[in-house]
């Protein structure tokens, strides 16, 4: 049996507490001469914060490894997530521009993004949503996507899913290793990464720098009659440094510092704008450590983390518009976490039982001013919250695994929330299958803007807002099928999910404040088929069918298409050559804000046309430690619009080489 993951069938590690730091070190890069591979841990930490064999976890999980990132030519986080089952990625513009993720029909603000287990959603974003268009992947080891309610682990915002970005780590038993890549291509695009990593007795390190620049993407649809075909530039840079110390067996202390800054040209819809620019910068740092007590029965750890976000958007008057924009957003988050895991062993009828518990404290601060002088939007506020969480898991009869989690969030300035999640996995080895059943609640706290924001004298946030909340359940199965002369020649998976949303926040009738007045639902099915006809060939088809509805109006929720199909393959006829095609089909998508070909605004519910985007990446190992590659994006030059008024940018080609010595 195989855990339900994307691309590679490998275990993963995920958790907000400290998941066995000394056991989860993975290579920063592959050995010289070998294809890109990742040695993954034997256990995972998902719904219970407890290291658990992959096949015993009751969750729908997708893992995008370093190998996937390289073989499929993913430059940014938005590119990497585009084919994840159950996730619809909408990018409003070219590389680096605003991108939103809708998981299982939930809103983009209902997704929590973690960096090495720490939330990094920008508090100054009015709804608390994450911009998936910003992140580069040169220092990312793997990306883990958990679909379904996650508030019992991660608190506010984890209604529809959690995405964890895990940075590169030092290779074992290697004092120094250099890794990197250099590439260039069409649209004036250039990309580079350079890093060093190594392991010494008792300590290890990793430092990396990366950059990406492009000068020719244009996402303004050609159908607009006033399109000037102006291109938008994008420049991004990032640096990270990690140092670890192992003073004794079972004890580890680790620090990480990461900086990322982007500069991007923006457009107003439906017109190009020659001098509208944005700057987005984030500083992230954390220090964490853990130790094993009582011969490893009890593991305890602490974490301190700080994230600072700064975004500025500037637009000066020009021949096309006399308007002036100077928007500034500053957000800060501090996280203090104490986590514990206790191995209980066999207790009565329960085997391999374990308990996790801990306390998490967060502080958020926002200082924001945007809009015209006569219609200025401002927010200047701080909030604090403390959460108590616990989880329990075990096994009954050698084939039924169960888990349960509970978290109480307590806040200074809004009602707290008690969230829970429970699930079970039944192994049926007689038919090479496993059955999964899970359910839980989740919530999204009102943002600081929603509670305390102002727009001139016409709008005032509502400090009495309640958290948005949901109840979700899912049932699924996964079966290995004997094909092509092997027991796992094929793997079929199916998951049905259902979510009810309550107390959703929207404007009141007079548009002078906000209220908890909306209700919605989403349900659907995720189907996946993986075929392995030969050792050098495997392919996957993933089809997600989703139905969403605003329960007050009956209308479908915007930007949630009913059908999304992703087809991918990995062809490696020799140990040197790998070819990775990828095709994404998106069905018609409802919109509540659209534009005609003349640029006139269209109100009400309309539908974007369906579209297909095809990518192809090829890699060839030239010699030990050096691999050449070519990445072709949007090969058919599709003009599909993920969001109305923003088209997929045109066909591109990038060629380069990566190395590890």
């Amino acid at each position: 049996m195989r855990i339900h993951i994307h691309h590679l069938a490998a275990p993963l590690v995920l958790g907000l507490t400290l998941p066995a730091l000394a056991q989860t070190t993975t290579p920063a890069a592959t050995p010289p001469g070998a294809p890109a591979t990742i040695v993954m841990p034997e256990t995972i930490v998902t719904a219970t914060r407890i290291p658990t064999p992959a096949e015993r976890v009751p969750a729908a999980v997708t893992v995008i490894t370093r190998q996937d990132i390289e073989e499929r030519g993913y430059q940014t986080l938005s590119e990497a997530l585009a084919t994840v089952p159950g996730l619809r990625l909408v990018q409003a513009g070219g590389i680096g521009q605003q991108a939103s993720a809708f998981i299982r029909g939930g809103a983009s603000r209902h997704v929590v993004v973690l960096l090495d287990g720490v939330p990094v959603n920008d508090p100054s974003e009015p709804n608390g949503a994450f911009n998936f268009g910003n992140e580069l992947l040169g220092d990312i080891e793997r990306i883990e996507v958990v679909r379904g309610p996650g508030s019992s682990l991660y608190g506010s915002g984890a209604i529809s899913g959690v995405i964890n970005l895990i940075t590169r780590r030092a290779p074992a038993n290697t004092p120094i290793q250099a890794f990197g890549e250099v590439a260039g291509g069409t649209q004036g695009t250039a990309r580079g990464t350079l890093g060093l990593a190594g392991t010494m007795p008792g300590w290890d390190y990793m430092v990396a720098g990366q950059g990406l620049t492009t000068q020719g993407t244009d996402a303004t649809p050609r159908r607009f009659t006033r399109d000037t075909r102006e291109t938008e530039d994008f420049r991004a840079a990032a640096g990270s440094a990690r140092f670890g110390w192992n003073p004794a067996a079972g004890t580890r202390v680790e620090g990480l510092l990461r900086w990322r800054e982007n500069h991007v040209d923006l457009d107003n819809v439906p017109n190009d704008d020659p001098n509208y620019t944005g700057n987005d910068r984030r500083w992230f740092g954390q220090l964490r450590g853990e130790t094993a007590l009582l011969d490893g029965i009890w593991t305890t750890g602490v974490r301190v983390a700080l994230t600072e976000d700064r975004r500025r958007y500037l637009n000066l008057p020009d021949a096309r518009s006399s308007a002036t924009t100077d928007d500034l957003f500053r957000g800060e988050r501090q996280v203090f976490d104490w986590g514990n895991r206790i191995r209980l062993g066999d207790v009565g009828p329960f085997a391999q039982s374990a308990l996790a518990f801990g306390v998490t404290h967060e502080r958020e601060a926002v200082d924001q001013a945007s809009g015209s002088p006569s219609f200025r939007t401002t927010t200047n506020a701080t909030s604090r919250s403390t959460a108590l969480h616990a989880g329990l898991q075990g096994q009954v009869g050698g084939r039924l695994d169960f888990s349960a989690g509970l978290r109480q969030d307590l806040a200074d300035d809004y009602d707290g929330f008690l969230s829970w999640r429970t699930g079970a996995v039944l192994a049926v080895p007689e038919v090479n299958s496993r059955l999964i059943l899970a359910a839980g609640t989740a919530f999204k706290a009102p943002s600081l803007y929603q509670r305390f924001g102002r727009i001139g004298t016409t709008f005032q946030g509502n400090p009495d807002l309640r958290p948005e909340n949901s109840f979700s359940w899912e049932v699924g199965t996964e079966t290995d099928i004997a094909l092509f002369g092997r027991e796992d020649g094929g793997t079929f998976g199916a998951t049905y999910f259902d979510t009810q949303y309550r107390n959703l926040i929207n404007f009141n009738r007079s548009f002078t404040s906000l209220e908890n007045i909306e209700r919605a639902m989403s349900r659907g099915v995720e189907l996946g088929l993986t075929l392995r006809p030969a050792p050098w060939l495997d392919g996957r088809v993933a089809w997600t069918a989703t139905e969403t509805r605003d329960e007050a109006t009956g209308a479908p929720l915007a930007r949630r298409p009913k059908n999304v199909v992703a087809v991918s393959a990995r062809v490696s006829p020799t140990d040197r050559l790998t070819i990775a095609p990828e095709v994404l089909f998106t069905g018609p998508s409802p919109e509540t804000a659209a534009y005609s070909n003349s640029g006139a605004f269209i109100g009400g519910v309309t539908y974007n046309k369906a579209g297909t985007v095809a990518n192809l990446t090829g890699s060839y190992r030239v010699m030990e430690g050096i691999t050449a590659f070519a990445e072709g994006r949007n090969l058919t030059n599709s003009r599909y619009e993920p969001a109305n008024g923003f088209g997929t940018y045109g066909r591109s080609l990038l060629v380069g080489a990566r190395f590890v010595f």
Side-chain angles (χ1 to χ4, degrees), residues 78-97:
S78 59
E79 291 181 351
L81 295 177
T83 61
V84 171
L87 187 153
R88 202 267 169 128
L89 198 289
V90 179
Q91 185 144 0
I95 296 176
Q97 299 208 32

Side-chain angles (χ1 to χ4, degrees), residues 537-551:
L537 172 63
D538 65 71
R540 176 181 175 86
V541 179
W543 174 27
T544 302
T546 308
E547 178 188 1
T548 64
R549 184 174 65 246
D550 182 319
E551 294 191 346

Side-chain angles (χ1 to χ4, degrees), residues 15 75 79 82 93 142 154 237 367 376 392 456 468 487 541 584:
Q75 300 185 95
E79 291 181 351
R142 62 188 185 274
Y154 305 102
D367 183 7
R376 198 71 169 161
L392 181 67
E468 300 178 324
E487 291 187 2
V541 179
L584 179 67

Side-chain angles (χ1 to χ4, degrees), residues 381-448:
T382 301
S383 68
R384 293 175 176 83
S385 64
T386 301
L388 310 175
H389 51 80
L392 181 67
Q393 71 178 46
Q395 188 180 78
V396 179
R399 62 168 64 192
L400 178 63
D401 291 280
F402 71 90
S403 65
L406 191 69
R407 173 171 169 141
Q408 176 66 64
D409 280 81
L410 306 168
D412 293 342
D413 49 9
Y414 69 88
D415 291 341
F417 194 86
L418 179 65
S419 52
W420 59 269
R421 189 180 192 277
T422 185
V425 180
L426 176 63
V428 190
E430 294 82 358
V431 290
N432 294 324
S433 299
R434 68 182 193 127
L435 306 176
I436 304 172
L437 178 63
T441 60
F443 79 102
K444 169 68 172 69
S447 70
L448 287 172

Side-chain angles (χ1 to χ4, degrees), residues 484-508:
F484 313 114
R486 51 189 291 184
E487 291 187 2
D488 64 346
T491 300
F492 174 76
T495 300
Y496 176 84
F497 59 87
D498 188 294
T499 303
Q500 302 293 321
Y501 306 91
R502 297 294 181 263
N503 291 325
L504 298 180
I505 297 171
N506 207 337
F507 288 99
N508 60 11

Side-chain angles (χ1 to χ4, degrees), residues 8 30 34-38 65-68 70-71 570 627 658:
L8 298 182
T30 53
T37 58
I38 300 297
T65 67
R66 186 70 215 166
Q67 179 176 344
D68 292 320
E70 294 179 351
E71 289 184 350
R570 183 179 187 273
T627 298
R658 68 180 60 94

Side-chain angles (χ1 to χ4, degrees), residues 19-210:
L21 292 179
Q23 301 174 14
T24 62
T25 300
T26 53
T30 53
T37 58
I38 300 297
V39 180
M40 303 297 289
E42 296 297 324
T43 58
I44 72 173
V45 180
T46 52
T48 62
R49 300 176 182 254
I50 302 169
T52 307
E55 66 273 9
R56 297 175 54 193
V57 175
V61 180
T62 293
V63 178
I64 303 170
T65 67
R66 186 70 215 166
Q67 179 176 344
D68 292 320
I69 293 171
E70 294 179 351
E71 289 184 350
R72 300 193 175 279
Y74 297 145
Q75 300 185 95
T76 64
L77 179 59
S78 59
E79 291 181 351
L81 295 177
T83 61
V84 171
L87 187 153
R88 202 267 169 128
L89 198 289
V90 179
Q91 185 144 0
I95 296 176
Q97 299 208 32
Q98 176 69 40
S100 303
F102 301 84
I103 297 180
R104 290 184 170 178
S108 187
R109 66 180 183 274
H110 294 158
V111 180
V112 164
V113 179
L114 314 173
L115 180 62
D116 283 347
V118 176
V120 288
N121 291 53
D122 183 358
S124 70
E125 205 284 331
N127 292 315
F130 186 84
N131 182 1
F132 292 87
N134 276 329
E135 302 300 326
L136 304 182
L137 302 178
D139 63 341
I140 300 300
E141 188 69 56
R142 62 188 185 274
I143 305 164
E144 302 164 352
V145 182
V146 180
R147 301 185 291 284
S151 288
S152 62
L153 268 179
Y154 305 102
S156 173
I159 287 183
S160 58
V162 177
I163 299 173
N164 194 15
L165 312 180
I166 298 176
T167 54
R168 290 185 184 236
R169 297 173 183 270
N173 305 316
T174 304
I176 185 170
Q177 185 178 81
F179 61 90
E181 70 171 24
V182 60
T186 58
Q187 287 90 24
T189 303
R191 187 178 81 214
T193 300
L194 180 62
L196 291 174
T199 304
M200 304 292 187
W203 65 281
D204 54 80
Y205 67 94
M206 187 283 299
V207 293
Q210 56 187 312

